[in-house]
Amino acid sequence: MDEFIFWLALLLLAAPLASAQKVEEFNYDEAKVGTYTLPDPLTSKDGKAVKTKSAWTSRRAELMELFAANVYGHTPKQPIKLRFQTTAVNESALNGLAVRKMVSIFFVDYPQIPSIDVALYLPKNKKLVPIFLGLNFSGNHSATTETDVPITTRWVYNAIGDVSVNNKATEKSRGMQVSSWQIETVLKRGYGLATVYYGDIEPDHPQGWQGHIRSVLDSPSETVPSASNNWGAIGAWAWGLSRIMDYLQTEPDIDPKRVVLIGHSRLGKAALWAGAQDDRFAAVISNESGEGGAALSRRWYGETVERINTSFPHWFNAQFKTYNKRVADLPIDQHELLALIAPRPLYVASAEEDRWSDPKGEFLGAAHTEPVYKLFGKTGLGTDTFPAVNQPIGQTVRYHIRTGKHDVTAYDWEQYLKFADELVGK
Ligand code: GCU
């Protein structure tokens, strides 16, 4: 399916929710962005300047708590017993390029919770490979045209056209996101790739938590109660990424120290929150994650906090909604989420036509991590100058804005592979 149809369907789904409330006007005029003051990642709550790595350790914990309390909700910390079951192996996938394993992650104490089904591609005859991990939007079968990857049987968005019918994916959706995954290119460059349908962890709608992980794990110390526990769907997807990491660590052919997390859009938001919480991820890539991801919340441009909380009430915690009309009161901004990845490599990417995600706000989010990377003796982006299109910049933190629309493209992957080669190691 054309990605456009998929996004159009999402838009239609979000529209009635949005129109139920009075929708503010969206700004696309840089001159109207206005002024704002960002919180300083290196000033702690009690006003002290953070000047050492050890002082950053406490400040980091403080920021983590602020993001949990005010944005994503607290991720339950209780250990969970997992069982990994290999359901299929193809020793000659992608015309002999890869070994493909399908592995299901089961929750031993919660048999009612559906498994997380991983499609894992490893380059043939290679040991201890680095790997990219990313959630996908439409089922593992959408990332490949190979007919032996089963069509997901889980809930999916109803798209326009017959790629899904009654919230079930059809054969028509096979391979529809091949260009966003570039699996052959990734494998040929010596990396493995693991992908999982995000709806395995939690279907993306306000009732999606029911029967999924948020219905069984508790969220501690939350002051605002809600039926679905206080962590949101983004928190659940991030939690799921860590469970997939638990599994990847058991695969002898994967180097667990070189797992690069990648996420697009809402799944970019989830990747950043997962990367902040779980430092087993060696590097994080945010592809057009926008509002609630890499873009600064205080900039009035494109999507707003109010709009995201209205269209997608299940994504964040209840407290985040109290900032709908007072973003300036947020005790954090998104550059501090990005700074939680430091000193690990971070890539933030935008697309010129994806104004909804606020490219400049994503760039500034990345640029404002600089003092934290400096604390570790590293150069982050190393510049405050917004680059021209298709001109990647930066060192440990990288950024590009490419021509084109909201998507993950071959161009994006080319930059991510170069970034991984240089900073994570082939
Ligand atoms: C919507 C939403 C964005 C999100 C995007 C996506 O446009 O408003 O916040 O990033 O969907 O996930 O593609």
Side-chain angles (χ1 to χ4, degrees):
M1 158 176 86
D2 193 85
E3 286 249 349
F4 170 73
I5 299 175
F6 179 67
W7 296 122
L8 193 63
L10 291 196
L11 208 71
L12 289 175
L13 187 105
L17 286 164
S19 60
Q21 308 214 356
K22 232 176 161 222
V23 177
E24 68 206 294
E25 204 184 301
F26 299 109
N27 178 45
Y28 291 114
D29 181 353
E30 197 55 42
K32 289 192 186 147
V33 167
T35 55
Y36 53 86
T37 307
L38 289 179
D40 178 2
L42 294 187
T43 302
S44 63
K45 272 202 317 201
D46 61 8
K48 284 211 186 92
V50 173
K51 292 188 176 135
T52 60
K53 281 191 249 176
S54 76
W56 169 249
T57 306
S58 332
R59 172 62 175 152
R60 192 179 186 282
E62 193 175 276
L63 283 170
M64 198 70 89
E65 172 56 26
L66 287 171
F67 276 103
N70 294 286
V71 184
Y72 303 105
H74 289 96
T75 307
K77 293 283 180 287
Q78 68 236 56
I80 185 158
K81 253 188 247 145
L82 306 176
R83 181 170 64 82
F84 310 128
Q85 187 180 325
T86 303
T87 56
V89 180
N90 183 334
E91 297 284 350
S92 198
L94 301 170
N95 301 317
L97 188 65
V99 175
R100 189 189 61 237
K101 283 177 83 166
M102 308 299 282
V103 177
S104 292
I105 303 175
F106 291 98
F107 305 105
V108 177
D109 296 325
Y110 306 105
Q112 74 277 26
I113 303 299
S115 59
I116 295 177
D117 298 340
V118 186
L120 171 66
Y121 290 86
L122 292 173
K124 266 192 124 155
N125 306 320
K126 283 220 163 108
K127 297 275 165 235
L128 271 186
V129 291
I131 180 166
F132 288 88
L133 163 64
L135 299 176
N136 66 67
F137 280 92
S138 311
N140 295 341
H141 66 279
S142 69
T144 178
T145 52
E146 299 161 296
T147 50
D148 58 338
V149 173
I151 303 280
T152 184
T153 56
R154 307 283 167 80
W155 183 97
V156 296
Y157 271 112
N158 270 337
I160 297 166
D162 46 6
V163 292
S164 60
V165 174
N166 297 330
N167 299 111
K168 293 284 171 209
T170 70
E171 186 61 41
K172 292 261 168 63
S173 57
R174 184 181 298 289
M176 73 181 174
Q177 289 187 344
V178 160
S179 68
S180 295
W181 287 97
Q182 302 284 327
I183 303 181
E184 275 95 342
T185 308
V186 172
L187 270 279
K188 281 183 191 150
R189 291 280 287 262
Y191 294 84
L193 185 124
T195 190
V196 163
Y197 172 48
Y198 80 135
D200 284 7
I201 307 164
E202 176 169 325
D204 191 1
H205 59 81
Q207 289 76 42
W209 63 276
Q210 292 169 5
H212 290 79
I213 203 65
R214 281 201 288 150
S215 66
V216 295
L217 294 190
D218 294 322
S219 177
S221 73
E222 208 61 65
T223 50
V224 187
S226 87
S228 57
N229 263 334
N230 212 279
W231 47 322
I234 290 177
W237 297 324
W239 176 92
L241 283 164
S242 287
R243 303 295 70 79
I244 301 164
M245 183 65 177
D246 294 342
Y247 154 64
L248 294 177
Q249 286 188 307
T250 69
E251 270 296 335
D253 289 337
I254 293 174
D255 182 349
K257 295 209 157 37
R258 291 186 296 160
V259 178
V260 179
L261 193 51
I262 178 167
H264 172 55
S265 212
R266 69 197 64 189
L267 300 178
K269 307 180 212 293
L272 288 170
W273 182 225
Q277 295 177 92
D278 190 340
D279 64 9
R280 292 175 299 171
F281 294 113
V284 183
I285 300 168
S286 148
N287 194 87
E288 300 155 28
S289 59
E291 191 72 33
L296 296 176
S297 302
R298 280 172 174 74
R299 263 176 60 88
W300 185 47
Y301 191 102
E303 190 169 25
T304 60
V305 169
E306 180 173 18
R307 164 62 189 240
I308 205 167
N309 277 327
T310 309
S311 312
F312 303 99
H314 54 296
W315 283 3
F316 301 91
N317 77 352
Q319 182 63 20
F320 194 44
K321 295 174 185 62
T322 70
Y323 296 100
N324 282 355
K325 296 202 188 298
R326 50 174 196 118
V327 277
D329 292 345
L330 275 165
I332 42 71
D333 209 315
Q334 296 305 112
H335 61 305
E336 293 173 309
L337 175 71
L338 301 180
L340 291 172
I341 312 287
R344 291 165 290 157
L346 167 70
Y347 206 121
V348 173
S350 310
E352 194 181 21
E353 290 169 37
D354 179 25
R355 297 184 309 158
W356 185 239
S357 299
D358 185 12
K360 183 102 183 270
E362 295 179 315
F363 163 77
L364 290 171
H368 285 294
T369 64
E370 198 72 39
V372 181
Y373 279 86
K374 281 241 164 66
L375 207 58
F376 288 90
K378 297 199 181 248
T379 302
L381 260 190
T383 175
D384 288 336
T385 310
F386 191 50
V389 288
N390 304 332
Q391 302 278 330
I393 52 167
Q395 297 194 28
T396 312
V397 178
R398 299 201 178 178
Y399 176 84
H400 72 248
I401 172 165
R402 62 157 171 76
T403 43
K405 63 184 175 70
H406 187 64
D407 198 0
V408 192
T409 66
Y411 176 88
D412 296 321
W413 272 107
E414 194 43 50
Q415 312 320 312
Y416 302 151
L417 286 162
K418 199 164 161 244
F419 162 76
D421 285 356
E422 290 171 15
L423 299 177
V424 182
K426 278 200 201 200

